[in-house]
Amino acid sequence: MRKVKTPFVIISAERFTLTNGENQKRHQDLLTQLKKDGFKTKVVEGVYHGQTEKSILVLLDSKFLSVDLGYMKNYGMIFDQESILFVDSDRKAELHFPATNKAEKLGNFVAVTKGIAIQCNNYTQDGQDYYVCDLAGVA
C-alpha cells in the first residue's frame, strides 16, 4: 500500500527590492494570515534565482486541493510574488505564476545533499535537509 504524502506549497512574502525590516514584516504578516486561515505551516529557507528568502511551507488539504491552491495563488498576488512552488502528493513540482494563472512543470521534488543544492539557482532548505526539482519528465 502506498503511503499518501500531503501536497504543499512553498510561498514567500519577501521581495529582493525591499529592506530586511520590510521583508521581516511581510513574512510575519503572511505567516499570521496563513495560521489565522487554519493552514499548517513551517518556515523554511528558499533560494529563487540565486536570491535567498525566508519562505513558508504550507500543507494543503487533498480533499480541497484546488480551493487551497487558489488561496495560495491569491496570497502570491497580495504579496506581489512572481511565483509559488506547488508539490503534489506524488512529489511532482510545478511553479505557479499567480498574475498569469499559468504553471510550469519542474519534475520531482527530491532530497539532495547540501553540496548539490548550493550549486543550483533554486532550492529549498528545511533545517539540515535540502531539496531541488529534478526536471525529470519535463521535456
Side-chain angles (χ1 to χ4, degrees):
M1 183 177 204
R2 178 176 94 98
K3 184 179 178 194
V4 177
K5 295 179 181 170
T6 303
F8 61 89
V9 161
I10 296 177
I11 186 170
S12 176
E14 294 189 1
R15 298 285 302 169
F16 72 92
T17 55
L18 300 176
T19 67
N20 284 341
E22 290 168 320
N23 278 328
Q24 287 175 355
K25 181 182 182 328
R26 287 168 59 96
H27 172 78
Q28 193 57 52
D29 289 349
L30 176 57
L31 189 58
T32 298
Q33 189 60 50
L34 287 165
K35 289 179 179 181
K36 188 185 291 186
D37 289 341
F39 289 102
K40 293 179 182 165
T41 62
K42 181 176 188 179
V43 175
V44 297
E45 185 172 283
V47 174
Y48 184 64
H49 295 302
Q51 298 287 323
T52 301
E53 58 187 13
K54 194 179 284 186
S55 299
I56 304 167
L57 186 148
V58 184
L59 296 178
L60 305 180
D61 188 329
S62 296
K63 293 179 284 209
F64 303 104
L65 191 55
S66 59
V67 172
D68 283 359
L69 187 54
Y71 268 104
M72 296 306 116
K73 290 178 186 178
N74 284 337
Y75 288 130
M77 288 177 54
I78 290 166
F79 286 92
D80 193 27
Q81 295 299 297
E82 177 182 314
S83 62
I84 61 173
L85 179 67
F86 167 65
V87 179
D88 71 13
S89 59
D90 292 324
R91 295 304 176 247
K92 300 285 185 207
E94 294 179 344
L95 209 52
H96 284 254
F97 300 91
T100 62
N101 206 27
K102 296 199 185 300
E104 176 185 334
K105 293 180 188 288
L106 299 178
N108 297 309
F109 190 77
V110 296
V112 295
T113 64
K114 178 181 180 179
I116 291 173
I118 62 174
Q119 293 180 53
C120 299
N121 243 359
N122 307 295
Y123 65 88
T124 301
Q125 180 182 355
D126 180 6
Q128 298 300 311
D129 299 322
Y130 293 82
Y131 301 89
V132 299
C133 297
D134 68 1
L135 302 175
V138 172

